[in-house]
């Protein structure tokens, strides 16, 4: 089936269209982004009328695109910006009334769970216990576990956009502001790291999100043109080297760097600070960069719930038959 996934985040409204079936690899067909910066349209805890109007128009455009693309279903969700707004229910109702799209607000823990599922499917069971970090505009998600549903899934209000607005007003940020934020991040992540460690050791640490991809690219990882299956890593040493020069650059100059999106350049320094603090707290020397994250996790879980056969129409002989009760089998053996 052709699915559309609409992600209303703190920075962008992102529509991803994929062709997929249960048990198959989701094949991206189209990607469309609107740079909305919804989190910046929140005043006194409420999404402004202007921000709500822009959101309605962005969602309407995305729905029209999904319809033209032939999507059979549109999975639409919102994350921290709407999750935390005092008037989120009214904004969601307006979106539903004016566009017909029923936006579902994900909890921070569910964001972490969906992202973890996507990472697990990407690396497979051979990766062992996974530790997954995802830096968004409004929040930082962390999850650890051995299965497809993590043992621990956490969300902290430490997103790159949020911290830029609240703690780093300068462009480039003042050294004193950077030092103060670094100290506060270390303090905030110490108890979180303790809880993660209590869940057990990890075999592979993984970073997802545009922030991690940009930092890895600046540290020497392969460009996006090399394809999603090219291995990319971000080391703690590489991150420190990258931070040494991006922390002294203004956002227009950062936007000129390969791998940095102009719409996110202003929050890259804050993202690097969060990444560094998380890697220190969790004693991570190297992160694998996974191309799949929240949207792919939503797609994969939806496909798991479909009761349709795979295109081959071949039966799986052991599990596609009606199970025989164990007690009746035992009775027949007596």
């Amino acid at each position: 089936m052709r699915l559309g996934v609409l992600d209303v985040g703190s920075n962008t409204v992102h529509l991803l269209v994929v062709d997929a079936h249960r048990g198959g690899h989701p094949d991206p067909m189209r990607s469309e982004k609107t740079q909305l910066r919804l989190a910046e349209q929140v005043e006194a805890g409420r999404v402004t009328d202007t921000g709500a109007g822009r959101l309605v128009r962005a969602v309407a455009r995305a729905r029209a695109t999904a319809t033209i693309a032939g999507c059979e279903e549109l999975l639409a969700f919102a994350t921290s910006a709407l999750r935390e707004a005092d008037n989120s229910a009214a904004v969601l109702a307006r979106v539903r009334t004016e566009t017909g799209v029923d936006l579902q607000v994900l909890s921070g823990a569910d964001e972490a769970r969906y992202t973890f599922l996507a990472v697990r499917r990407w690396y497979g069971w051979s990766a062992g216990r996974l530790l997954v970090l995802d830096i968004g505009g409004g929040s930082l998600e962390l999850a650890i576990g051995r299965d497809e549903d993590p043992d621990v899934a956490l969300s902290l209000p430490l997103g790159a956009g949020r911290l830029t607005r609240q703690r780093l007003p300068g462009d480039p940020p003042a050294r004193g502001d950077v030092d103060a934020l670094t100290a506060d991040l270390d303090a905030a992540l110490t108890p979180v790291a303790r809880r993660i460690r209590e869940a057990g050791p990890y075999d592979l640490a993984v970073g997802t999100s545009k922030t991690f991809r940009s930092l890895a690219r600046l540290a020497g990882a392969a460009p996006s043109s090399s394809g999603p299956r090219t291995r990319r890593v971000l080391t703690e040493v590489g991150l420190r080297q990258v931070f040494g020069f991006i922390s002294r650059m203004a956002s227009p100059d950062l936007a000129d760097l390969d791998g940095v999106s102009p719409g996110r350049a202003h929050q890259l320094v804050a993202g690097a600070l969060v990444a560094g603090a998380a890697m220190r707290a969790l004693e991570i020397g190297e992160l694998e960069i996974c191309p799949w994250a929240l949207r792919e996790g939503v797609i994969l879980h939806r496909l798991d719930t479909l009761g349709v056969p795979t295109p081959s129409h071949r039966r799986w002989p052991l599990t596609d038959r009606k199970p025989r009760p164990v007690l009746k089998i035992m009775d027949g053996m007596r």
Side-chain angles (χ1 to χ4, degrees):
M1 66 185 303
R2 180 162 293 179
L3 285 173
V5 177
L6 182 60
D7 177 358
V8 176
S10 297
N11 289 304
T12 61
V13 174
H14 187 173
L15 172 68
L16 179 64
V17 176
V18 299
D19 279 345
H21 59 268
R22 190 176 61 173
H25 184 287
D27 186 17
M29 299 298 296
R30 184 167 184 167
S31 178
E32 181 177 286
K33 297 180 183 180
T34 300
Q35 198 75 35
L36 188 62
R37 292 191 180 180
L38 183 62
E40 297 179 13
Q41 304 293 321
V42 176
E43 296 179 0
R46 298 174 61 86
V47 177
T48 64
D49 289 341
T50 299
R54 290 175 180 173
L55 174 61
V56 166
R57 290 190 290 275
V59 171
R61 285 194 299 270
R63 182 183 181 181
T65 298
T67 300
I68 293 171
C71 290
E72 299 174 49
E73 188 174 353
L74 180 63
L75 306 172
F77 62 88
T79 55
S80 64
L82 275 178
R83 182 168 64 232
E84 299 172 10
D86 294 337
N87 62 335
S88 62
V91 174
L92 293 171
R94 179 178 172 185
V95 169
R96 185 166 52 250
T97 299
E98 297 187 28
T99 71
V101 174
D102 186 16
L103 272 180
Q104 299 295 309
V105 176
L106 291 182
S107 70
D110 282 339
E111 276 193 64
R113 292 176 65 216
Y114 279 116
T115 301
F116 187 90
L117 171 63
V119 174
R120 167 58 72 196
R121 293 285 177 89
W122 183 267
Y123 289 103
W125 297 114
S126 63
R129 285 179 61 81
L130 293 173
L131 171 60
V132 178
L133 287 70
D134 187 332
I135 301 173
S139 58
L140 163 68
E141 276 70 51
L142 307 98
I144 186 170
R146 174 182 78 157
D147 300 322
E148 292 196 334
D149 202 359
D151 299 327
V152 176
L154 304 172
S155 180
L156 304 174
L158 301 177
R162 181 198 301 268
L163 294 178
T164 299
R165 293 189 302 274
Q166 295 178 352
R167 302 294 302 273
L168 302 177
D171 189 13
R175 186 67 205 180
D177 292 336
V178 168
D179 291 343
L181 178 54
T182 299
D184 288 347
L185 286 171
D186 287 340
L189 286 166
T190 295
V192 175
R194 188 180 307 118
R195 183 173 175 187
I196 293 289
R197 284 194 292 269
E198 288 172 352
Y202 64 88
D203 298 301
L204 181 67
V206 179
T208 71
S209 74
K210 180 61 176 177
T211 294
F212 277 121
R213 291 196 299 272
S214 295
L215 294 170
R217 176 68 187 118
L218 293 175
S224 58
S225 59
S226 296
R229 291 177 178 80
T230 300
R231 182 173 181 260
R232 296 172 176 86
V233 300
L234 176 63
T235 65
E236 189 177 16
V237 172
L239 178 58
R240 286 201 305 268
Q241 292 172 342
V242 167
F243 186 77
F245 69 85
I246 68 170
S247 61
R248 299 191 296 267
M249 298 175 66
S251 54
D253 297 321
L254 287 173
D256 290 334
L257 299 178
D258 187 24
V260 179
S261 300
R264 295 176 185 265
H266 67 293
Q267 63 185 46
L268 186 62
V269 172
L273 287 173
V274 175
M279 293 177 76
R280 284 193 302 276
L282 295 164
E283 299 178 351
I284 300 171
E286 180 178 276
L287 278 170
E288 291 266 352
I289 306 301
C290 181
W292 279 4
L294 175 59
R295 286 179 292 274
E296 287 78 11
V298 170
I299 292 167
L300 291 165
H301 192 269
R302 178 68 185 99
L303 294 176
D304 287 346
T305 67
L306 295 177
V308 297
T310 59
S312 65
H313 298 290
R314 291 179 299 176
R315 295 179 70 251
W316 295 83
L318 182 63
T319 52
D320 282 352
R321 64 188 178 91
K322 186 177 180 180
R324 298 176 64 189
V326 174
L327 289 179
K328 288 189 177 181
I329 295 175
M330 295 298 290
D331 288 342
M333 294 174 63
R334 291 173 185 165

